Amino acid sequence: MLISIAMFELRQQLSGHVFRVVFAISMAMVLGSVGIDALRVGVDPGGLRNGAEAIVQTHLLWTLFFMFTTAALVADAVLRDELVGFAPILRAAPVRWRDLVLGRFVGAFAAILLCFTSVPIGIVAGSAMPWVAAGSVGPADPESFAFAFCVMAIPNLLLSASVGFVLATLARSLGAALVGAIVLLILYGLGARAGAVLLPLFEPFGFAAYDEATAGWGGALLDAAVPWDAPGLIANRLFVLAMSAALLGAAAMRPHSAVSRPSSADRRMQAVDRVPAGGCEVSTAPLVPSFRRQFRARLVLEVGQIVRTPVFAALLLLGIANAAAAMWPVRTSADPRLVVVTLSKAFQPAPIVVALFFTGELRWSERERGLAALLAATPLRSAAFLLPKFLAIAIVLVAMISAAAITALVLLAIGGGIAASSLLPAWFGAACYNALMFAIVAMFLQAIAPDKLAGWGFTVLFLVATLTLDRLGYVDPLYRYGRYPGWPLAPGNGAALPAWIYQCWWAAVGALLLTLAVAVARPTGPAYQPMRLARARPGLGRQRRS
């Protein structure tokens, strides 16, 4: 039964759009990083493009990029039955909980491994590009690919998939799986800053263990050999596999009765059934409320949907913890620019993740809760539908950045470097501007997307394109969205035009994108378009004479 469930899950994953899109994007990114010098990341530029060191480092780096892909795929395996309404039938079937859980996970993880094969394929393709110099590539080494994929990549992917799978199983939420991926990514960042303090055995992604195993190797040896028999590296990989097995065991041992919890739709129906016999009070408010009342009510609702979720609390705490860990070494510094640069690098990912995640959650919340058709029957204006969602995200982003600034001030006051906080107000304004500009793009892409996952994919493509343009040197704020002289820190004065002119220009572009999003987005979406009755043609109901 387990094998049959795994094969079924694998077919479901391979037929999905996420698998094909991620495979194509990943292969294109790896090909570009190998074949184009300006796009090389995480690899020594003096080594061979397809040397053992480059192959291993590329595989390790891409396991970090694949964290959110693994979270999305394993969460889809967990939640698909409930989303399509098949869960009640499955609960009544004679299927053991352990077979169902492990079968779903095995099928989803097999799809993840097949998707990750885009990395070695991209390395081989990038090394064979005609513009690559012959002296920068060597002969293909199957041993290096086998070591990088089997020893380094598979344990990392298994850990990411196990964390996402367990969290999605316990919380029945995609957001929980994504938070797990973010936690792992932040732990990687904290471990990288810890340096030698962190034992290579307990570093979950193997970067430190691999560096320790290859310490003292020369460039030629790094390009030609891999540390198969390094004891520290083997112990680290076994430690990661043991953690993954423990997480999967916890998910497999979960009581089956916990699966039979009523869904959100069932709970809403139970709430309707509990209405008192005397009925409800009849509101004396106007049947068609004013735009101001609609807007205010929707804004309070949307802010509450973000603030009350454990996902937001986890992201806020993780962002503050990451900023505090980065600020701690410079708490006694008297250099204001060093303080601002350190805080910006540490906290910059947090608003991006919050904007990316919650624009999708709020944009499609009505459809996921089954309220889209009901909302379509109400006199709700499009502006009162989408603008409160954006303002709710904007309020939350400003609150997060304020929390980071207060954390920095407290640490500077403790360390005696409060004099270095003179640039914090300027950083606060610049950080709010940058976060809001990205939130506008994320909301616009969600408005034009057919569903939430597609909107997230469009936003990730925007981020990838932004990073690619930065690597290629196209950084002129005249044509780069949201940029200004001095970005991403406080505006500078070294350009031909003042920074505020660029900010006003891109703010106008952002307002135009938000207006287009309001015009395009509807409360219902494509799946719930209201039916229109066509006028019957004369003689349509007459029987044709033979």
Side-chain angles (χ1 to χ4, degrees):
M1 181 63 72
L2 188 149
I3 297 178
S4 300
I5 296 174
M7 294 302 297
F8 171 79
E9 180 63 32
L10 178 60
R11 290 193 298 269
Q12 291 291 319
Q13 296 287 351
L14 296 182
S15 63
H17 297 292
V18 176
F19 176 87
R20 294 192 291 268
V21 171
V22 172
F23 185 93
I25 294 175
S26 174
M27 188 174 68
M29 291 177 63
V30 174
L31 189 150
S33 67
V34 174
I36 302 175
D37 292 333
L39 299 181
R40 300 187 72 179
V41 290
V43 180
D44 183 11
L48 296 177
R49 297 176 187 267
N50 62 342
E53 169 78 2
I55 292 173
V56 172
Q57 292 293 344
T58 302
H59 278 73
L60 285 175
L61 185 62
W62 247 255
T63 57
L64 300 180
F65 292 161
F66 260 71
M67 281 185 187
F68 296 99
T69 300
T70 57
L73 291 180
V74 297
D76 177 66
V78 172
L79 304 175
R80 187 188 308 112
D81 295 327
E82 293 184 357
L83 294 177
V84 301
F86 193 69
I89 301 176
L90 192 61
R91 293 168 194 156
V95 180
R96 290 192 303 175
W97 167 249
R98 186 177 305 173
D99 291 342
L100 176 63
V101 170
L102 295 181
R104 293 287 198 191
F105 178 82
V106 170
F109 187 66
I112 292 171
L113 293 182
L114 289 176
C115 191
F116 196 79
T117 57
S118 60
V119 176
I121 293 174
I123 295 176
V124 174
S127 303
M129 290 295 104
W131 59 80
V132 175
S136 63
V137 296
D141 183 14
E143 182 183 0
S144 300
F145 282 102
F147 175 85
F149 192 89
C150 299
V151 178
M152 306 306 296
I154 288 182
N156 292 0
L157 295 173
L158 183 61
L159 178 63
S160 302
S162 302
V163 171
F165 190 80
V166 170
L167 292 176
T169 302
L170 295 177
R172 316 304 295 176
S173 169
L174 172 62
L178 295 177
V179 169
I182 295 170
V183 170
L184 289 176
L185 197 59
I186 291 179
L187 289 178
Y188 162 74
L190 294 177
R193 281 196 291 270
V197 177
L198 186 68
L199 293 177
L201 173 63
F202 302 110
E203 196 268 310
F205 297 103
F207 285 90
Y210 179 79
D211 291 341
E212 183 186 54
T214 57
W217 288 21
L221 185 59
L222 286 173
D223 285 335
V226 289
W228 283 101
D229 54 351
L233 182 61
I234 295 175
N236 173 266
R237 299 291 84 189
L238 292 177
F239 173 72
V240 173
L241 291 175
M243 285 197 302
S244 304
L247 292 172
L248 288 178
M253 295 301 293
R254 185 176 179 229
H256 188 276
S257 59
V259 187
S260 300
R261 295 182 304 170
S263 63
S264 58
D266 296 334
R267 290 194 294 269
R268 287 194 299 270
M269 294 303 298
Q270 293 173 4
V272 173
D273 294 338
R274 289 194 297 267
V275 174
C280 302
E281 296 182 2
V282 179
S283 175
T284 58
L287 293 179
V288 181
S290 64
F291 175 79
R292 183 181 301 176
R293 293 184 58 187
Q294 285 183 339
F295 193 91
R296 183 171 60 249
R298 295 286 304 179
L299 180 60
V300 173
L301 173 67
E302 303 295 354
V303 172
Q305 287 192 88
I306 299 178
V307 175
R308 288 195 297 264
T309 57
V311 176
F312 171 71
L315 291 176
L316 178 61
L317 293 176
L318 289 172
I320 293 177
N322 195 29
M327 286 292 298
W328 184 257
V330 299
R331 67 189 185 280
T332 60
S333 174
D335 185 2
R337 184 165 182 82
L338 176 62
V339 171
V340 169
V341 170
T342 303
L343 181 61
S344 177
K345 289 182 178 179
F347 192 73
Q348 189 177 7
I352 292 177
V353 173
V354 169
L356 187 151
F357 177 75
F358 282 106
T359 48
E361 288 293 311
L362 296 187
R363 168 67 180 90
W364 303 101
S365 60
E366 287 79 13
R367 177 188 291 190
E368 293 181 345
R369 289 174 172 82
L371 301 175
L374 182 63
L375 194 63
T378 62
L380 179 66
R381 299 170 176 85
S382 297
F385 169 71
L386 195 68
L387 285 182
K389 297 179 183 293
F390 171 76
L391 287 181
I393 296 173
I395 292 172
V396 169
L397 290 176
V398 173
M400 287 187 64
I401 298 172
S402 302
I406 293 173
T407 302
L409 283 175
V410 171
L411 291 177
L412 291 174
I414 293 174
I418 193 66
S421 62
S422 58
L423 291 180
L424 278 181
W427 171 84
F428 175 79
C432 291
Y433 173 84
N434 298 334
L436 294 181
M437 294 302 294
F438 176 76
I440 290 175
V441 171
M443 184 61 74
F444 172 76
L445 295 176
Q446 287 288 349
I448 64 175
D451 53 51
K452 181 169 66 176
L453 286 179
W456 282 342
F458 293 162
T459 310
V460 171
L461 284 177
F462 172 79
L463 290 175
V464 171
T466 299
L467 295 175
T468 304
L469 290 175
D470 288 340
R471 296 285 297 181
L472 293 176
Y474 297 103
V475 294
D476 195 328
L478 187 63
Y479 53 80
R480 289 297 303 276
Y481 173 82
R483 298 295 179 90
Y484 52 84
W487 182 94
L489 304 178
N493 298 318
L497 297 175
W500 65 267
I501 294 181
Y502 292 95
Q503 290 179 323
C504 292
W505 159 248
W506 289 118
V509 174
L512 177 61
L513 291 178
L514 196 58
T515 303
L516 293 176
V518 171
V520 171
R522 292 291 182 269
T524 54
Y528 293 98
Q529 292 295 338
M531 294 184 296
R532 293 180 174 87
L533 298 178
R535 179 178 298 178
R537 291 177 297 175
L540 185 62
R542 298 176 185 174
Q543 295 182 355
R544 181 175 298 180
R545 297 180 180 178
S546 57

